[in-house]
Amino acid sequence: MPADGTTAERDYGARHQRLRRALAPSVATGRVRCWRCGHAIEAGAAWDLGHDDEDKTRYRGPEHQHCSRAAGAAKGNAARQDPAPTGTRSRAW
């Protein structure tokens, strides 16, 4: 899905927004741990409601915004890697 689609098109629709609003007061205390790295999300820090890496219909919980975006970038980068195994040629010479 394009990064510039609507929130619903990017799987951040009403369900996501309701759950994020419900979790926000707890995260704001600074006592909630990032599900991805295990460190506390400091009060006032940017955070995301993290999806499961394999099933984006499942939420894992709050995570640091950096942890979330880094994981997404790593997954996207891996998907764009050359599928040819190392040592193979792209064409016959």
Side-chain angles (χ1 to χ4, degrees):
M1 195 55 54
D4 58 351
T6 68
T7 55
E9 289 171 337
R10 292 181 293 130
D11 296 320
Y12 302 111
R15 178 175 168 249
H16 178 93
Q17 293 171 24
R18 273 193 308 275
L19 185 52
R20 186 179 159 84
R21 274 193 306 274
L23 292 169
S26 296
V27 175
T29 67
R31 289 184 242 141
V32 172
R33 295 194 172 275
C34 171
W35 80 266
R36 194 171 291 279
C37 75
H39 294 278
I41 301 172
E42 293 183 25
W47 64 281
D48 289 339
L49 175 53
H51 288 100
D52 183 87
D53 290 339
E54 302 304 318
D55 179 1
K56 67 185 209 172
T57 66
R58 292 182 52 219
Y59 294 108
R60 297 292 305 265
E63 60 185 339
H64 296 106
Q65 192 174 73
H66 170 64
C67 291
S68 177
R69 311 280 165 99
K75 187 173 183 176
N77 290 339
R80 286 186 288 278
Q81 292 298 313
D82 182 4
T86 304
T88 63
R89 296 186 179 137
S90 62
R91 61 182 174 197
W93 290 92

